[in-house]
Amino acid sequence: MTTPATLDDWLAHCERMHPISMDLSLERTVEVARRLDIRFTMPLVVVAGTNGKGSTCAMLESISRQAGYRVGLYQKPELVHFTERCRVDGRPVDADALLPHFEAVEQARGDITLTKFEFTTLAIARLLSLAPLDLVILEVGLGGRYDAVNAFDADCAVITSIDIDHTEYLGPDRESIGLEKAQVMRTGRPAIVGDPVPPASVVDHAREIGADLWLAGHDFHHGGDRQQWHWSGRDRRYNGLAFPALRGANQLLNASAALAVFESLRERLPISAQAVRTGLALVDLPGRFQVVPGQPALVLDVAHNPQSVAALALNLDAMGFYPRTRAVFGAMRDKDIAGALAKIRPLIDVWHLCALPTARAATPEELAAVVGPGSEVMLHASPAEGLQAAIAASDPADRIVVFGSFFTVGGVLRDGLPRLAAPHAG
């Protein structure tokens, strides 16, 4: 094989290597990681869950950077560019910086075939393990038990909120899904459960393996009013906190879990109250209830399962009155699309349904069948086309919400953040 010369070449090579795109096993990844001798000498935090993983990771990164630490973050999927998956000191790494690590994985794997996700996870993990960092944060992709991230032993594991998703791989209910995600916990090490009503399987597994279980509402608490909030853990307390810069009703759950992580690691990673305040104030994560300035109002959100779309609907409802709301929506065929749309459908006046650049995606016609008769529907070849049509048809006082798959939100961000000025404004 000719050695790939660019990151795109390597990604294409990874795509072709394994006969299936998702192979639920961990043995191959563990063996290649052993051959590579990947070791994390700095604290390693692994974040699993259905919703809230990205926000929790972003808060952990922001707070620790405000405390003066150098932080590495592995997050996924990207909105536009693959390099978004690997951040060092708050910025995506350069594509060229990843090339030696792709080459190392290729050399180490021998005759072992890896999926694209496994291969790229190993390459990014190797980069982060060798970088001069004080903290590494790895976001789990699907589940936990067989996710490539679980090849590494976390010093602290986080389980965010758990909902029904990926049922064909993880099981049909919250109990079975929770048990899969709980496998990232390790004996004797902190396991932070941010879901306020976690499946019993998560708690039972933590106790069975002897993890240091931190439960929301038991080991750490948060509360507050419209102006400020407070948090208390086993030994620490923060009062008079401003709300996180990330918008949305569920962000205090994520922030609360992040603060529990820092308390659990306080001997290795001490954090000041000022770092907490500044970190929460400055945290940024595109595509999570992101409100873009301009007219009409534009909201971007990667919500794509019933729990996250219900949260989006709640957040939209809290924004106030808009004469008309248009939705630009695209989703994967294997998602519970009907369940996801149940809470948000009453808020949407016009649907702009989009094709997405992947075979897994539902077609606009399939989405229209789920939205149902009686709804005003337009079909588009791409999210960008859908957004342009929505802008052209909107008045300045209206609202547009782009939501669903990462491909949907990424599709409207590909050429940069949209700048809206409705044709009727002036």
Side-chain angles (χ1 to χ4, degrees):
M1 181 196 84
T2 303
T3 301
T6 68
L7 180 58
D8 286 342
D9 291 340
W10 274 112
L11 296 175
H13 170 64
C14 296
E15 199 86 59
R16 296 188 299 265
M17 182 185 306
H18 203 65
I20 55 176
S21 62
M22 194 174 298
D23 186 346
L24 294 189
S25 63
L26 200 59
E27 293 83 0
R28 291 169 295 105
T29 308
V30 168
E31 173 57 21
V32 179
R34 185 194 65 78
R35 295 178 186 181
L36 288 164
D37 195 28
I38 297 176
R39 303 182 189 186
F40 292 93
T41 57
M42 67 294 286
L44 175 65
V45 177
V46 166
V47 182
T50 306
N51 298 311
K53 291 180 296 185
S55 298
T56 302
C57 288
M59 292 182 198
L60 290 169
E61 178 193 44
S62 184
I63 292 169
S64 48
R65 291 191 65 229
Q66 289 302 316
Y69 296 118
R70 281 179 53 86
V71 186
L73 170 61
Y74 174 39
Q75 60 184 0
K76 60 201 115 21
E78 69 276 11
L79 284 171
V80 180
H81 302 293
F82 179 85
T83 51
E84 295 170 35
R85 295 188 176 214
C86 183
R87 290 166 60 89
V88 171
D89 212 19
R91 294 183 298 275
V93 298
D94 292 333
D96 288 348
L98 282 167
L99 299 185
H101 303 284
F102 275 78
E103 293 167 6
V105 175
E106 179 68 14
Q107 291 296 318
R109 72 177 182 86
D111 59 358
I112 296 176
T113 61
L114 299 167
T115 66
K116 179 181 179 181
F117 177 68
E118 292 163 348
F119 196 111
T120 55
T121 297
L122 285 165
I124 290 172
R126 185 175 187 268
L127 182 152
L128 295 176
S129 72
L130 296 175
L133 299 173
D134 304 302
L135 171 67
V136 170
I137 306 159
L138 303 180
E139 179 184 343
V140 173
L142 184 150
R145 185 194 303 267
Y146 299 119
D147 189 274
V149 166
N150 202 31
F152 310 106
D153 293 326
D155 294 291
C156 178
V158 184
I159 309 291
T160 63
S161 64
I162 294 171
D163 193 28
I164 308 299
D165 205 0
H166 300 295
T167 54
E168 68 276 30
Y169 299 111
L170 305 180
D173 51 42
R174 290 181 78 240
E175 291 296 332
S176 52
I177 292 170
L179 182 58
E180 292 299 310
K181 296 181 184 296
Q183 306 302 312
V184 300
M185 300 174 176
R186 296 295 188 266
T187 300
R189 297 184 181 181
I192 314 297
V193 179
D195 192 318
V197 189
S201 60
V202 173
V203 177
D204 292 345
H205 179 74
R207 289 174 174 157
E208 284 169 12
I209 68 168
D212 177 17
L213 180 62
W214 292 58
L215 288 173
H218 183 270
D219 297 277
F220 58 99
H221 309 259
H222 75 273
D225 53 33
R226 289 179 176 272
Q227 276 72 47
Q228 59 186 18
W229 68 291
H230 55 81
W231 182 91
S232 60
R234 291 178 179 174
D235 297 307
R236 291 211 64 169
R237 182 176 182 88
Y238 299 102
N239 291 310
L241 294 172
F243 286 93
L246 299 181
R247 302 168 184 254
N250 289 336
Q251 293 301 352
L252 286 190
L253 295 177
N254 301 324
S256 188
L259 295 184
V261 170
F262 288 121
E263 185 179 348
S264 75
L265 296 176
R266 60 192 177 279
E267 292 182 5
R268 296 179 66 186
L269 205 73
I271 299 288
S272 68
Q274 186 58 43
V276 170
R277 296 177 193 281
T278 310
L280 291 177
L282 296 179
V283 64
D284 178 55
L285 185 63
R288 276 69 167 188
F289 199 61
Q290 180 181 3
V291 180
V292 180
Q295 292 183 311
L298 174 63
V299 178
L300 308 178
D301 201 308
V302 293
H304 58 265
N305 58 44
Q307 186 184 53
S308 59
V309 178
L312 170 60
L314 187 66
N315 294 331
L316 291 173
D317 207 32
M319 286 180 71
F321 173 74
Y322 293 84
R324 287 172 75 78
T325 295
R326 293 174 176 271
V328 178
F329 177 65
M332 298 298 111
R333 186 180 290 108
D334 54 9
K335 298 295 180 183
D336 178 9
I337 299 173
L341 298 186
K343 294 287 179 65
I344 202 170
R345 187 182 282 109
L347 301 178
I348 306 301
D349 299 295
V350 183
W351 293 87
H352 295 265
L353 305 175
C354 308
L356 302 176
T358 173
R360 280 182 58 211
T363 66
E365 291 79 9
E366 289 170 333
L367 295 174
V370 179
V371 171
S375 300
E376 188 175 342
V377 168
M378 299 177 67
L379 309 183
H380 304 283
S382 70
E385 181 183 300
L387 177 59
Q388 290 307 311
I391 294 170
S394 294
D395 288 325
D398 291 343
R399 174 173 61 182
I400 300 169
V401 55
V402 179
F403 78 104
S405 165
F406 276 76
F407 284 104
T408 310
V409 176
V412 304
L413 291 174
R414 192 158 298 279
D415 296 320
L417 199 64
R419 297 296 178 188
L420 269 62
H424 309 294

mmCIF file of all heavy atoms in Angstrom, residues 4 48 70-71 74 110 145 172 184 234 269 286 339 345 420:
data_model
loop_
_atom_site.group_PDB
_atom_site.id
_atom_site.type_symbol
_atom_site.label_atom_id
_atom_site.label_comp_id
_atom_site.label_asym_id
_atom_site.label_seq_id
_atom_site.Cartn_x
_atom_site.Cartn_y
_atom_site.Cartn_z
ATOM 1 N N PRO A 4 -0.660 6.866 2.690
ATOM 2 C CA PRO A 4 -1.485 8.058 2.425
ATOM 3 C C PRO A 4 -0.723 9.331 2.759
ATOM 4 O O PRO A 4 0.052 9.372 3.722
ATOM 5 C CB PRO A 4 -2.685 7.863 3.362
ATOM 6 C CG PRO A 4 -2.774 6.376 3.562
ATOM 7 C CD PRO A 4 -1.346 5.907 3.573
ATOM 8 N N ALA A 48 -19.500 9.507 29.018
ATOM 9 C CA ALA A 48 -20.472 8.714 28.276
ATOM 10 C C ALA A 48 -21.871 9.226 28.588
ATOM 11 O O ALA A 48 -22.073 9.994 29.522
ATOM 12 C CB ALA A 48 -20.348 7.229 28.636
ATOM 13 N N ARG A 70 -3.271 22.855 30.763
ATOM 14 C CA ARG A 70 -3.302 22.515 29.333
ATOM 15 C C ARG A 70 -4.181 21.279 29.166
ATOM 16 O O ARG A 70 -3.974 20.269 29.845
ATOM 17 C CB ARG A 70 -1.891 22.244 28.806
ATOM 18 C CG ARG A 70 -1.109 23.514 28.527
ATOM 19 C CD ARG A 70 0.303 23.203 28.023
ATOM 20 N NE ARG A 70 0.288 22.291 26.879
ATOM 21 C CZ ARG A 70 0.155 22.678 25.607
ATOM 22 N NH1 ARG A 70 -0.017 23.958 25.312
ATOM 23 N NH2 ARG A 70 0.193 21.796 24.629
ATOM 24 N N VAL A 71 -5.146 21.371 28.263
ATOM 25 C CA VAL A 71 -6.191 20.352 28.172
ATOM 26 C C VAL A 71 -6.255 19.780 26.768
ATOM 27 O O VAL A 71 -6.196 20.523 25.773
ATOM 28 C CB VAL A 71 -7.575 20.951 28.544
ATOM 29 C CG1 VAL A 71 -8.635 19.856 28.588
ATOM 30 C CG2 VAL A 71 -7.499 21.674 29.877
ATOM 31 N N TYR A 74 -11.029 15.003 23.109
ATOM 32 C CA TYR A 74 -11.491 14.217 21.964
ATOM 33 C C TYR A 74 -12.999 14.256 21.992
ATOM 34 O O TYR A 74 -13.634 13.770 22.934
ATOM 35 C CB TYR A 74 -10.973 12.784 22.078
ATOM 36 C CG TYR A 74 -11.489 11.817 21.028
ATOM 37 C CD1 TYR A 74 -11.661 12.196 19.700
ATOM 38 C CD2 TYR A 74 -11.781 10.499 21.366
ATOM 39 C CE1 TYR A 74 -12.115 11.293 18.747
ATOM 40 C CE2 TYR A 74 -12.223 9.581 20.427
ATOM 41 C CZ TYR A 74 -12.399 9.979 19.123
ATOM 42 O OH TYR A 74 -12.853 9.087 18.178
ATOM 43 N N GLY A 110 -0.689 -4.268 12.162
ATOM 44 C CA GLY A 110 -0.337 -5.501 11.460
ATOM 45 C C GLY A 110 -1.482 -5.993 10.594
ATOM 46 O O GLY A 110 -1.972 -5.267 9.727
ATOM 47 N N ARG A 145 -19.480 0.032 26.581
ATOM 48 C CA ARG A 145 -18.817 -1.261 26.722
ATOM 49 C C ARG A 145 -17.851 -1.535 25.559
ATOM 50 O O ARG A 145 -16.701 -1.912 25.770
ATOM 51 C CB ARG A 145 -19.863 -2.385 26.792
ATOM 52 C CG ARG A 145 -19.265 -3.763 27.068
ATOM 53 C CD ARG A 145 -20.285 -4.861 26.789
ATOM 54 N NE ARG A 145 -21.510 -4.708 27.541
ATOM 55 C CZ ARG A 145 -21.759 -5.272 28.710
ATOM 56 N NH1 ARG A 145 -20.834 -6.048 29.272
ATOM 57 N NH2 ARG A 145 -22.931 -5.092 29.305
ATOM 58 N N PRO A 172 -33.303 -2.139 24.130
ATOM 59 C CA PRO A 172 -34.575 -1.457 23.872
ATOM 60 C C PRO A 172 -35.031 -0.469 24.934
ATOM 61 O O PRO A 172 -36.018 0.220 24.733
ATOM 62 C CB PRO A 172 -35.558 -2.631 23.803
ATOM 63 C CG PRO A 172 -34.979 -3.636 24.760
ATOM 64 C CD PRO A 172 -33.483 -3.509 24.642
ATOM 65 N N VAL A 184 -17.839 2.058 31.255
ATOM 66 C CA VAL A 184 -16.649 2.919 31.261
ATOM 67 C C VAL A 184 -16.168 3.185 32.683
ATOM 68 O O VAL A 184 -15.066 3.725 32.873
ATOM 69 C CB VAL A 184 -16.910 4.261 30.540
ATOM 70 C CG1 VAL A 184 -17.309 4.010 29.091
ATOM 71 C CG2 VAL A 184 -17.979 5.099 31.249
ATOM 72 N N ARG A 234 -19.429 16.811 48.072
ATOM 73 C CA ARG A 234 -19.149 16.153 49.351
ATOM 74 C C ARG A 234 -18.440 17.093 50.319
ATOM 75 O O ARG A 234 -18.697 17.060 51.519
ATOM 76 C CB ARG A 234 -18.287 14.904 49.108
ATOM 77 C CG ARG A 234 -19.043 13.793 48.374
ATOM 78 C CD ARG A 234 -18.140 12.602 48.125
ATOM 79 N NE ARG A 234 -18.860 11.523 47.441
ATOM 80 C CZ ARG A 234 -18.286 10.407 46.996
ATOM 81 N NH1 ARG A 234 -16.976 10.223 47.172
ATOM 82 N NH2 ARG A 234 -18.999 9.479 46.385
ATOM 83 N N LEU A 269 -5.937 17.784 40.505
ATOM 84 C CA LEU A 269 -6.327 18.855 39.585
ATOM 85 C C LEU A 269 -7.125 19.914 40.346
ATOM 86 O O LEU A 269 -8.322 20.087 40.111
ATOM 87 C CB LEU A 269 -7.174 18.252 38.458
ATOM 88 C CG LEU A 269 -7.203 18.989 37.121
ATOM 89 C CD1 LEU A 269 -5.885 18.813 36.381
ATOM 90 C CD2 LEU A 269 -8.353 18.455 36.269
ATOM 91 N N PRO A 286 -20.519 25.019 19.560
ATOM 92 C CA PRO A 286 -21.432 25.251 18.431
ATOM 93 C C PRO A 286 -22.454 24.125 18.281
ATOM 94 O O PRO A 286 -22.160 22.952 18.535
ATOM 95 C CB PRO A 286 -20.481 25.285 17.227
ATOM 96 C CG PRO A 286 -19.147 25.646 17.790
ATOM 97 C CD PRO A 286 -19.109 25.009 19.147
ATOM 98 N N GLY A 339 -40.917 9.806 17.465
ATOM 99 C CA GLY A 339 -40.817 10.130 18.888
ATOM 100 C C GLY A 339 -40.108 11.445 19.116
ATOM 101 O O GLY A 339 -40.477 12.233 19.997
ATOM 102 N N ARG A 345 -43.383 19.365 17.266
ATOM 103 C CA ARG A 345 -44.274 19.586 16.124
ATOM 104 C C ARG A 345 -45.233 20.760 16.335
ATOM 105 O O ARG A 345 -45.431 21.572 15.413
ATOM 106 C CB ARG A 345 -45.052 18.295 15.806
ATOM 107 C CG ARG A 345 -45.868 18.395 14.523
ATOM 108 C CD ARG A 345 -46.663 17.135 14.261
ATOM 109 N NE ARG A 345 -45.847 16.069 13.710
ATOM 110 C CZ ARG A 345 -45.505 14.967 14.371
ATOM 111 N NH1 ARG A 345 -45.892 14.796 15.617
ATOM 112 N NH2 ARG A 345 -44.767 14.045 13.803
ATOM 113 N N LEU A 420 -27.810 36.396 8.958
ATOM 114 C CA LEU A 420 -29.181 36.518 8.470
ATOM 115 C C LEU A 420 -29.629 37.974 8.373
ATOM 116 O O LEU A 420 -29.415 38.773 9.278
ATOM 117 C CB LEU A 420 -30.152 35.768 9.395
ATOM 118 C CG LEU A 420 -30.415 34.304 9.002
ATOM 119 C CD1 LEU A 420 -29.120 33.498 9.052
ATOM 120 C CD2 LEU A 420 -31.465 33.692 9.889
#
